[in-house]
């Protein structure tokens, strides 16, 4: 949940970020709310792979995605 006082962010399920541990990839997808989510200037209309460094726009809020796992490292590797 993000609460920055941005009235353009849907109160429930604006977007969903998922991590696939098998494929070691992050996916961003539309959460079903009325407003869209963007990666850069492109609307997220289907699951979109995030690699790190992308700017995600949710309402009037801009976020930079920083991946702490990738194809070369996953936290389970240190278990």
């Amino acid at each position: 949940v993000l609460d920055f006082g941005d009235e353009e962010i849907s109160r429930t399920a604006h977007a969903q970020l998922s991590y696939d541990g098998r494929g070691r990839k992050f996916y961003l997808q539309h959460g079903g709310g009325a407003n869209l989510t963007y990666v850069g200037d492109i609307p997220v209309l289907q699951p979109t792979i995030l690699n790190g460094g992308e700017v995600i726009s949710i309402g009037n809020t801009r976020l930079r995605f920083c991946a702490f796992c990738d194809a070369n490292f996953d936290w389970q590797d240190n278990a």
Side-chain angles (χ1 to χ4, degrees):
V1 174
L2 299 175
D3 187 359
F4 299 119
D6 184 345
E7 297 295 322
E8 297 297 315
I9 297 176
S10 298
R11 298 297 161 238
T12 58
H14 191 111
Q16 180 177 346
L17 178 65
S18 303
Y19 178 67
D20 169 20
R22 284 190 200 174
R24 295 185 173 196
K25 294 180 182 173
F26 287 91
Y27 293 89
L28 180 66
Q29 56 191 351
H30 181 59
N35 298 326
L36 292 175
T37 298
Y38 293 81
V39 174
D41 293 326
I42 301 171
V44 176
L45 302 174
Q46 62 187 13
T48 301
I49 294 175
L50 299 177
N51 296 304
E54 294 89 351
V55 174
I56 300 168
S57 300
I58 299 175
N60 293 315
T61 300
R62 307 289 178 268
L63 306 165
R64 181 170 303 275
F65 177 71
C66 297
F68 290 107
C69 303
D70 62 21
N72 299 310
F73 174 79
D74 188 290
W75 292 100
Q76 68 186 358
D77 295 344
N78 287 338

